């Protein structure tokens, strides 16, 4: 039975704003990148997401955010790159009618790398492709008022890109961040 004072139900739309910490688990594969010890820095940025509840316990979430990351290697600072990783997740919400509502999600991520100023010794490092990979999520919404709730969320996203220097293949950079977020949401 629907209790309009608390919970989420089929047809509800949830909008959240979070501060997220992005912690890359960077590593490289291929011929050259692994020997360079390339690492990607952490970042803290805002994130916006929207969930549409298909059923009382099942929702679809679209996550939107953008970050800029600096890359370093054994050679020193390589420069920065912007990352735009929209992610679509299918979620299962436990205790959908309660005030404390844990959820889990799984889905797909598309990552677009842009505004790269990466270089080694003045020679540009090219990023040759964008990334499509899996994403996992777990979190909890805690209702504060009829329409407002507090949110804690953790995601793991797998992303990678191929790189080259002056036309020579350097290998694949795997970023694979763990993302931890805290924010507020509103139910419509």
């Amino acid at each position: 039975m629907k209790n309009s004072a608390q919970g989420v139900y089929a047809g509800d739309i949830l909008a959240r704003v979070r501060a997220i910490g992005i912690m890359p688990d960077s590593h490289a594969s291929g011929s050259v990148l692994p020997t360079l010890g390339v690492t990607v820095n952490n970042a803290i940025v805002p994130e916006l997401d929207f969930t549409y509840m298909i059923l009382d316990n099942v929702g679809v979430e679209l996550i939107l955010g953008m970050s800029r990351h600096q890359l370093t290697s054994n050679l020193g600072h390589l420069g920065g790159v912007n990352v735009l990783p929209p992610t679509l997740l299918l979620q299962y919400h436990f205790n959908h009618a309660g005030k404390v509502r844990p959820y889990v999600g799984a889905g797909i991520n598309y990552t677009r790398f842009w505004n790269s100023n990466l270089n080694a010794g003045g020679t540009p490092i090219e990023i040759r492709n964008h990334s499509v990979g899996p994403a996992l999520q777990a979190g909890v919404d805690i209702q504060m008022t009829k329409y407002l709730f507090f949110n804690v969320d953790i995601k793991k996203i797998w992303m990678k890109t191929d790189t080259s220097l002056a036309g020579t293949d350097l290998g694949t950079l795997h970023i694979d961040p763990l993302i931890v977020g805290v924010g507020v949401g509103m139910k419509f």
Side-chain angles (χ1 to χ4, degrees), residues 98-159:
K99 288 192 176 203
V100 177
R101 301 182 299 270
Y103 59 87
V104 293
I108 191 162
N109 165 265
Y110 169 77
T111 301
R112 185 176 190 299
F113 300 95
W114 58 286
N115 196 19
S116 169
N117 68 353
L118 301 175
N119 71 79
T123 304
I125 297 173
E126 296 176 18
I127 292 176
R128 292 200 310 246
N129 66 325
H130 305 298
S131 174
V132 175
L136 297 175
Q137 173 189 50
V140 64
D141 290 326
I142 302 168
Q143 194 160 343
M144 297 184 299
T145 69
K146 183 175 179 178
Y147 297 107
L148 192 65
F149 55 91
F150 175 74
N151 175 261
V152 177
D153 184 86
I154 186 167
K155 290 181 277 302
K156 177 68 176 180
I157 298 176
W158 286 267
M159 60 179 72

Side-chain angles (χ1 to χ4, degrees), residues 6 28-29 31 54 66 68 73-74 76 85 117 136 154:
Q6 71 183 37
S29 61
S31 56
I54 301 169
M66 184 184 74
R68 181 148 181 94
S73 74
N74 299 339
N117 68 353
L136 297 175
I154 186 167

Side-chain angles (χ1 to χ4, degrees), residues 80-99:
V81 63
N82 286 349
V83 179
L84 178 66
T87 304
L88 187 64
L89 297 151
L90 183 64
Q91 299 175 324
Y92 184 82
H93 292 251
F94 302 90
N95 192 33
H96 76 91
K99 288 192 176 203

Side-chain angles (χ1 to χ4, degrees), residues 14-41:
L14 312 176
R16 298 180 189 90
V17 176
R18 297 183 188 109
I20 60 170
I22 303 168
M23 297 161 280
D25 179 16
S26 56
H27 61 282
S29 61
S31 56
V32 179
L33 276 184
T35 63
L36 295 177
V38 176
T39 60
V40 181
N41 77 318

Side-chain angles (χ1 to χ4, degrees), residues 64-77:
L64 304 168
M66 184 184 74
S67 58
R68 181 148 181 94
H69 295 273
Q70 300 299 313
L71 280 69
T72 57
S73 74
N74 299 339
L75 303 173
H77 186 257

